[in-house]
């Protein structure tokens, strides 16, 4: 196999170009078989095999800097830089990350996992290179989906001032995770139909450059000219008008043509965008038919593409059902997603109520303020978003929603530890960054029924409301406890004395284990499902302080600024004799791996909590 010859970076330069098509198929087959065992991002990587090979052919690693936007399409890059064996433990404890990681390899130029930042990072590299008078190449790869994010345009605007080389590769597969939406998608679709432009522009440019003495000046003049003729023959006018040379579109599976354009791009003294059109999921029929499902997949059967494990309903599934029902009952309810209708569970709502469903693209900041406008217009917007992605809209949550006390509901999925996606996707900060904002109501359900109840409560409540829930199978325990939800009030599951367990959301399941273990030992402790992080139940804390010496707060969130610290501050002020033990995530970023294993490492499991109680008792 040709693939076996690639042991380290730049080994690709030893492979004849005639063998590249075979190598591409070997890589594609390796990716399908490997990801079928471990799970991972498949469709995006299958679409970028030839693109990556072409880039590696014209670059030298680690000297040149290749920056991937999001990074979920960088598996081939990892293979070509000596990490093929690591795929056996892809996205597992101590194994290969599913995203670029500088500590993994000096061929990874930038750690990433979120969207629309590659041009900004690349531009920073370029400026540093020029200041230090170095000569390495900088290439930022960005998808057409990521171009729906405003940060990309801020960077493009800034990059237009460059007088030195900076290559931007637009990987255009008409998809982000789900199908792209909006004006940029339509614009790029029009460009794709103008294939004849590529050869015309290159031929004209090269011919002008050959004219003695004045060739370069003529090329520069043509670039700056904005005539009706140019409007007709240059489909990349949007980029050209910004001062960015546009090359393309080119077939993203024609390696020779891509190499030709990349080498041409290396000669441009300024920013240059190479538009590459690829097919997401290429080479594996199930991924081509269902690219969204194979964007991030668990283990699956290669022959059929079907998952190997049938899971119970997830919290996302429960949210999906509630939204469909609320859409029927509440005509003013509208739903918003940032390019993730499937991932957030809004697909069913979108199918049933298309006029009340809005996909804003990968643009969380815009999504939040858009929701604010909908609320002012008399609607009840529900913005379904992953916890780690909502971080990008904190200013808008604070300034545009909470400051105006607008009734916007934030359905925050993937809160807490997410497992295999690692530190870029863990939602361990939302309790901290949302609870610091005035006027915010913040809740977390203990099980699947409570998520349903909380969403109904949130829709009928006033002002900003956030409901945060974890990734994965919804907990179905404690079904017998379903007291009505009252703003700011916790749910007492068991009333004892001396020790009070105060658990938030997903940690109620852990708290239940601690409670039952202590009960079996003859210790009657109090166990509370707090429900509300803001406002939290201070009346209950005042009551419990009369006959309890220890409060144990439990949250799947960082300790800094979290629920436990708020409780500790309150108790120190009002009941200084009560000890507060905070069970939370420490001051760290949590890498990829099994969630239960990480809970043990972080001290969030039942045994660790019991040990801390025993230490207090001693």
């Amino acid at each position: 196999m040709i693939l076996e010859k690639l042991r380290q970076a730049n080994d690709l330069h030893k492979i004849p170009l005639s063998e590249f098509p075979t190598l591409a198929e070997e890589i594609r087959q390796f990716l399908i078989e490997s990801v079928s065992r471990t799970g991972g991002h498949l469709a995006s990587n299958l679409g970028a095999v030839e693109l990556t090979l072409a880039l590696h052919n014209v670059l030298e690693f680690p000297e040149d800097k290749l920056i991937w936007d999001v990074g979920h399409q960088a598996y081939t890059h990892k293979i070509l830089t000596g990490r093929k064996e690591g795929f056996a433990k892809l996205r597992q404890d101590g194994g290969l990350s599913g995203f670029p990681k500088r500590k993994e390899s000096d061929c990874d130029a930038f750690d990433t996992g979120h969207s629309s930042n590659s041009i900004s990072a690349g531009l920073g590299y370029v400026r540093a290179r020029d200041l230090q008078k170095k000569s390495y190449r900088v290439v930022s790869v960005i998808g057409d989906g990521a171009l729906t994010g405003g940060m990309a345009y801020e960077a493009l605007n800034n990059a237009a001032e460059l007088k030195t080389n900076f290559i931007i590769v637009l990987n255009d597969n008409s998809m982000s995770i789900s199908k792209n939406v909006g004006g940029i998608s339509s614009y790029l679709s029009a460009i794709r139909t103008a294939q004849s432009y590529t050869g015309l522009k290159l031929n004209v440019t090269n011919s002008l450059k050959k004219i003695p003495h004045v060739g370069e000046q003529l090329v520069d003049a043509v670039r700056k000219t904005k005539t009706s003729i140019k409007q007709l023959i240059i489909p990349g006018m949007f980029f050209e008008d910004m001062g960015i040379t546009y090359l393309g579109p080119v077939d993203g599976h024609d390696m020779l043509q891509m190499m030709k354009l990349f080498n041409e791009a290396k000669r441009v003294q300024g920013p240059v965008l190479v538009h590459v059109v690829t097919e997401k999921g290429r080479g594996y029929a199930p991924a081509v038919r269902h690219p969204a499902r194979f964007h991030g997949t668990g283990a699956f059967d290669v022959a059929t593409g079907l998952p190997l494990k049938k899971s119970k309903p997830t919290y996302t599934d429960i949210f999906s059902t509630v939204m469909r029902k609320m859409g029927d009952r509440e005509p003013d309810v509208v739903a918003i997603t940032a390019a993730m209708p499937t991932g957030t569970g809004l697909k069913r709502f979108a199918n049933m109520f298309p006029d009340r469903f809005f996909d804003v693209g990968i643009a969380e900041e815009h999504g939040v303020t858009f929701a604010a406008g909908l609320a002012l217009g008399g609607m009840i917007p529900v913005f379904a978003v992953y916890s780690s992605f909502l971080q990008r809209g904190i200013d808008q949550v604070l300034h545009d929603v909470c400051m105006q006390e607008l009734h916007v509901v934030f359905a925050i999925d993937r809160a807490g530890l997410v497992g295999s996606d690692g530190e870029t996707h863990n939602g361990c900060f939302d309790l901290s960054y949302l609870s610091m904002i005035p006027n915010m109501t913040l809740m977390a359900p203990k099980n699947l029924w409570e998520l349903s109840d909380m969403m109904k409560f949130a829709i009928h409540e006033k002002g900003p409301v956030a409901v945060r829930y974890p990734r994965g199978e919804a907990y179905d325990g404690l079904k017998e406890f379903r007291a009505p939800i009252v703003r700011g009030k916790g749910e007492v599951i068991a009333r004892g004395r001396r020790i009070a367990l105060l658990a938030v959301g997903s940690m109620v399941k852990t708290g239940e284990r601690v409670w039952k273990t202590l009960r079996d030992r003859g210790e009657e402790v109090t166990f509370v499902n707090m429900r509300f992080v803001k406002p939290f139940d201070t009346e209950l804390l005042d009551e419990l302080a009369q006959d309890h010496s220890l409060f144990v707060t439990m949250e799947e969130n960082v300790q800094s600024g979290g629920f436990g610290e708020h409780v500790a501050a309150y108790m120190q002020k009002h009941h200084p004799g009560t000890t507060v033990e905070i069970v939370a995530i420490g001051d760290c970023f949590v890498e990829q791996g099994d969630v239960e294993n990480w809970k043990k490492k972080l001290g969030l499991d039942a045994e660790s909590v019991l040990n801390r109680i025993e230490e207090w008792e001693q």
Side-chain angles (χ1 to χ4, degrees), residues 60-74:
E60 292 284 338
F61 292 96
E63 293 79 13
D64 293 332
K65 311 304 177 187
L66 179 57
I67 301 166
W68 299 92
D69 206 278
V70 184
H72 59 293
Q73 75 282 55

Side-chain angles (χ1 to χ4, degrees), residues 226-244:
K226 298 178 181 178
T227 64
S228 58
I229 295 176
K230 188 177 182 186
Q231 293 279 4
L232 285 172
I233 69 169
I234 299 183
M237 194 64 192
F238 174 81
F239 303 105
E240 294 273 351
D241 276 351
M242 293 184 74
I244 298 169

Side-chain angles (χ1 to χ4, degrees), residues 166-442:
F166 175 30
I167 300 172
I168 302 164
V169 177
L170 172 57
N171 177 19
D172 178 5
N173 56 29
S174 305
M175 300 281 290
S176 45
I177 294 174
S178 299
K179 187 172 177 60
N180 283 333
V181 296
I184 289 299
S185 176
S186 300
Y187 176 76
L188 293 175
S189 295
I191 290 179
R192 291 181 209 116
T193 65
Q195 298 282 355
S196 60
Y197 162 69
T198 304
L200 172 62
K201 184 181 178 186
L202 281 176
N203 291 335
V204 170
T205 301
N206 291 335
S207 297
L208 288 173
K209 283 183 177 179
K210 293 177 183 178
I211 300 174
H213 308 300
V214 297
E216 290 292 341
Q217 291 92 324
L218 282 172
V219 170
D220 188 56
V222 168
R223 284 189 183 129
K224 293 178 180 177
T225 301
K226 298 178 181 178
T227 64
S228 58
I229 295 176
K230 188 177 182 186
Q231 293 279 4
L232 285 172
I233 69 169
I234 299 183
M237 194 64 192
F238 174 81
F239 303 105
E240 294 273 351
D241 276 351
M242 293 184 74
I244 298 169
T245 300
Y246 173 90
L247 300 177
V250 61
D251 183 349
H253 305 289
D254 185 334
M255 287 178 280
L256 292 179
Q257 185 67 12
M258 280 190 289
M259 292 172 201
K260 178 181 178 183
L261 252 63
F262 291 150
N263 282 317
E264 175 72 16
K266 287 164 68 174
R267 292 191 284 270
V268 175
Q269 292 304 302
V272 53
L273 184 141
V274 182
H275 183 181
V276 177
V277 180
T278 60
E279 178 186 32
K280 201 166 188 178
R282 187 178 180 88
Y284 184 51
V288 172
R289 288 195 300 269
H290 307 287
R293 180 155 64 86
F294 281 91
H295 170 76
T297 179
F300 62 92
D301 178 69
V302 173
T304 63
L306 297 176
L308 292 181
K309 179 183 176 183
K310 290 186 177 180
S311 62
K312 296 179 181 178
T314 65
Y315 281 102
T316 306
D317 294 332
I318 303 303
F319 169 76
S320 176
T321 299
V322 174
M323 283 299 294
R324 179 185 59 78
K325 292 179 178 178
M326 294 309 291
D328 273 330
R329 301 170 189 169
E330 305 287 344
D332 290 337
V333 167
V334 295
I336 304 166
T337 183
M340 309 222 23
T342 302
T344 59
L346 285 178
K347 194 69 176 176
R348 293 165 71 188
F349 186 96
N351 291 338
M352 292 188 67
F353 313 103
D355 293 340
R356 292 154 57 193
F357 169 76
F358 305 98
D359 186 342
V360 298
I362 305 177
E364 289 81 5
E365 298 169 46
H366 161 60
V368 174
T369 305
F370 173 61
L374 282 165
L376 284 167
M379 307 305 292
I380 305 173
V382 178
F383 185 15
V385 59
Y386 287 7
S387 175
S388 67
F389 297 162
L390 183 59
Q391 291 163 186
R392 293 182 283 188
I394 292 175
D395 178 66
Q396 287 70 27
V397 173
L398 189 156
H399 184 275
D400 297 338
V401 175
C402 291
M403 196 176 292
Q404 301 187 79
E405 296 187 65
L406 300 179
H407 185 203
V408 175
V409 178
F410 297 95
I412 305 175
D413 202 333
R414 270 61 167 182
L417 302 175
V418 299
S420 54
D421 280 337
E423 59 263 61
T424 57
H425 285 60
N426 282 320
C428 301
F429 304 94
D430 51 51
L431 294 185
S432 300
Y433 69 72
L434 290 175
S435 64
M436 73 178 181
I437 305 176
N439 298 326
M440 174 62 77
T441 297
L442 179 55

Side-chain angles (χ1 to χ4, degrees), residues 16-28:
L17 290 180
S18 60
E19 295 184 2
F20 272 44
T22 302
L23 175 59
E25 292 312 308
E26 289 181 7
I27 291 173
R28 197 165 265 117

Side-chain angles (χ1 to χ4, degrees), residues 33-62:
E33 293 175 359
S34 179
V35 174
S36 74
R37 294 188 292 268
T38 63
H41 292 97
L42 185 61
S44 51
N45 280 290
L46 292 178
V49 173
E50 288 88 357
L51 167 59
T52 310
L53 284 169
L55 284 168
H56 272 253
N57 177 260
V58 301
L59 298 174
E60 292 284 338
F61 292 96

Side-chain angles (χ1 to χ4, degrees), residues 3 6-12 23 27 49 51-57 61 74-84 87 107:
L3 186 54
L6 304 177
R7 298 291 181 180
Q8 59 187 1
N10 304 315
D11 278 354
L12 184 68
L23 175 59
I27 291 173
V49 173
L51 167 59
T52 310
L53 284 169
L55 284 168
H56 272 253
N57 177 260
F61 292 96
Y75 288 7
T76 301
H77 168 74
K78 294 197 176 202
I79 292 170
L80 298 178
T81 50
R83 286 172 276 177
K84 175 174 171 287
F87 278 80
C107 297

